[in-house]
């Protein structure tokens, strides 16, 4: 029997997906962050007896050739070949899927992108991520990085006039001015601090914006402008039918409407209906996406039918 996992910095959640339909959480255990043996034991405790294959949704970068992981929020996984190391420890086949890709797959097959050709799903939360599907299949690309639109400088110190007054933030990837450094929840907070000299949480900033506060309105204007400019180029490149959003900031529907209208104003093709919207699986993309991936990888005999 297949087990699908959604592993975050707080919990390991799991499901036993059926051959079709929605994944229902079967249980959860706290995520061991610093001990590899504890991490393996926690996963083992979630497997059925006898154990079957596992598909795991995990935030992080996984080198397509070497399998080496860069998982910022779970230090004991850093530098490991997570899939093959886990497979060896647990004695079952293990497949890892990046959390943005899992969300994209969930939206493409069962969510806002069901029946549509091209889905570009984005995450606006602790970082800016994305995943791309075409006709219900993931497009992973060279090195597995397809969809990662958050990196590569978009705020250029030399672009005088167009973005004057916008500070240049360093990004975790080593570059300066990446969208990830502005478009994440933390980026929004840094932007507000740089523009107005006040420390507010992302939720305080959006709340102040809703209440008509002028400083917060300016911050949101800059934030949505930066994000929409970058997104409009992605839209022109990929021609997505829909852009479902997950991550902490996706809970603010007004913010998404602002990003949607600014983006649609900048794209070459006309979109008559909203393009950027909160994903059906904004809260559960990992578990659903891992379950769909499991169906694509493993034979039906590994799934319960009811
Ligand atoms: Zn970067």
């Amino acid at each position: 029997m297949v087990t699908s996992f959604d592993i975050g910095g707080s919990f390991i959640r799991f499901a036993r997906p059926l051959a079709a339909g929605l994944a229902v959480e079967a249980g959860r255990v706290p995520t061991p962050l610093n001990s590899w043996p504890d991490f393996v034991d926690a996963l083992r405790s979630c497997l059925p007896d006898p154990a079957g294959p596992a598909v795991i949704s995990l935030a992080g970068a996984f080198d397509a050739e070497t399998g080496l992981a860069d998982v910022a929020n779970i230090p004991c996984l850093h530098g490991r070949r997570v899939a093959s190391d886990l497979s060896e420890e647990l004695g079952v086949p293990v497949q890892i899927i990046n959390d943005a890709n899992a969300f994209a797959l969930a939206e493409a097959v069962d969510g806002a992108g069901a029946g549509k050709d091209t889905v570009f799903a984005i995450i606006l939360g602790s970082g800016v991520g994305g995943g791309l599907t075409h006709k219900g299949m993931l497009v992973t690309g060279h090195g597995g990085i397809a969809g990662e639109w958050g990196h590569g400088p978009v705020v250029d110190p030399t672009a005088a006039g167009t973005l004057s007054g916008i500070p240049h933030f360093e990004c975790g990837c080593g570059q300066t001015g990446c969208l990830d450094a502005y478009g994440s929840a933390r980026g929004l907070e840094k932007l507000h601090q740089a523009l107005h000299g006040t420390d507010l949480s992302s939720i305080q900033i959006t709340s102040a914006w809703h209440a008509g506060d002028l400083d917060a309105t300016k911050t949101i204007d800059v934030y949505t402008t930066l994000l929409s400019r970058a997104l409009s180029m992605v839209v022109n490149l990929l021609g997505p039918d829909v852009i479902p959003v997950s991550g902490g900031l996706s809970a603010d529907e007004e913010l998404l409407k602002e990003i949607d209208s600014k983006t649609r104003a900048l794209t070459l093709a006309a979109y008559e209906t909203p393009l950027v919207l909160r994903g059906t699986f904004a809260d559960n993309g990992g578990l659903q996406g891992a379950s769909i991936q499991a169906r694509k990888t493993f034979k039906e005999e590994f799934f319960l039918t009811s």
Side-chain angles (χ1 to χ4, degrees):
M1 201 186 335
V2 169
T3 305
S4 55
F5 288 93
D6 175 25
I7 302 184
S10 302
F11 290 102
I12 295 173
R13 303 163 60 233
F14 65 97
R16 311 252 191 259
L18 304 177
L22 300 184
V24 178
E25 183 176 328
R28 60 173 69 189
V29 294
T31 308
L33 299 179
N34 297 306
S35 161
W36 169 251
D38 288 353
F39 185 85
V40 173
D41 283 345
L43 246 69
R44 190 179 283 119
S45 75
C46 303
L47 292 176
D49 185 16
V55 178
I56 300 171
S57 164
L58 194 54
F62 307 95
D63 189 298
E65 299 225 326
T66 66
L68 285 174
D70 181 356
V71 182
N73 61 348
I74 308 175
C76 70
L77 302 185
H78 188 73
R80 284 198 169 270
R81 292 175 172 81
V82 180
S84 55
D85 287 2
L86 277 177
S87 180
E88 199 169 300
E89 297 270 9
L90 299 171
V92 296
V94 174
Q95 185 177 17
I96 304 285
I97 175 172
N98 164 279
D99 65 333
N101 285 348
F103 171 56
L105 204 47
E107 292 298 328
V109 175
D110 292 313
K116 298 186 189 298
D117 255 16
T118 305
V119 177
F120 183 58
I122 66 176
I123 296 180
L124 301 176
S126 56
V128 175
L132 174 66
T133 66
H134 186 64
K135 297 192 187 298
M137 299 293 286
L138 273 175
V139 180
T140 50
H142 178 78
I145 51 94
E148 292 297 345
W149 68 303
H151 297 279
V154 293
V155 177
D156 181 352
T158 64
T162 57
L163 291 169
S164 64
I166 306 300
H168 308 119
F169 297 151
E170 287 180 7
C171 181
C173 76
Q175 302 182 89
T176 298
C178 287
L179 184 65
D180 190 89
Y182 300 82
S184 62
R186 180 74 191 112
L188 177 63
E189 292 162 1
K190 281 164 64 184
L191 203 50
H192 190 78
Q193 218 290 332
L195 291 171
H196 310 295
T198 22
D199 285 313
L200 294 180
S201 71
S202 59
I203 290 186
Q204 286 173 319
I205 295 166
T206 51
S207 299
W209 170 52
H210 295 314
D213 177 81
L214 290 181
D215 283 357
T217 301
K218 170 75 176 172
T219 302
I220 294 294
D221 186 31
V222 173
Y223 173 88
T224 53
T225 298
L226 288 173
L227 205 75
S228 303
R229 285 182 179 185
L231 191 53
S232 70
M233 285 191 278
V234 177
V235 170
N236 286 343
L237 179 70
L238 302 176
D241 296 292
V242 65
I243 302 179
V245 190
S246 74
L249 292 171
S250 74
D252 192 313
E253 302 264 0
E254 288 303 312
L255 185 67
L256 297 191
K257 278 184 191 164
E258 196 70 13
I259 296 168
D260 175 61
S261 63
K262 282 191 176 178
T263 302
R264 284 197 283 148
L266 295 171
T267 55
L268 289 177
Y271 286 91
E272 302 302 335
T273 53
L275 175 64
V276 180
L277 43 84
R278 184 168 157 80
T280 311
F281 296 98
D283 297 321
N284 206 23
L287 214 49
Q288 183 66 17
S291 300
I292 294 167
Q293 184 59 48
R295 290 180 199 129
K296 292 180 186 292
T297 306
F298 299 105
K299 291 180 183 154
E300 265 184 41
E301 66 202 50
F302 286 108
F303 296 87
L304 295 173
T305 48
S306 63

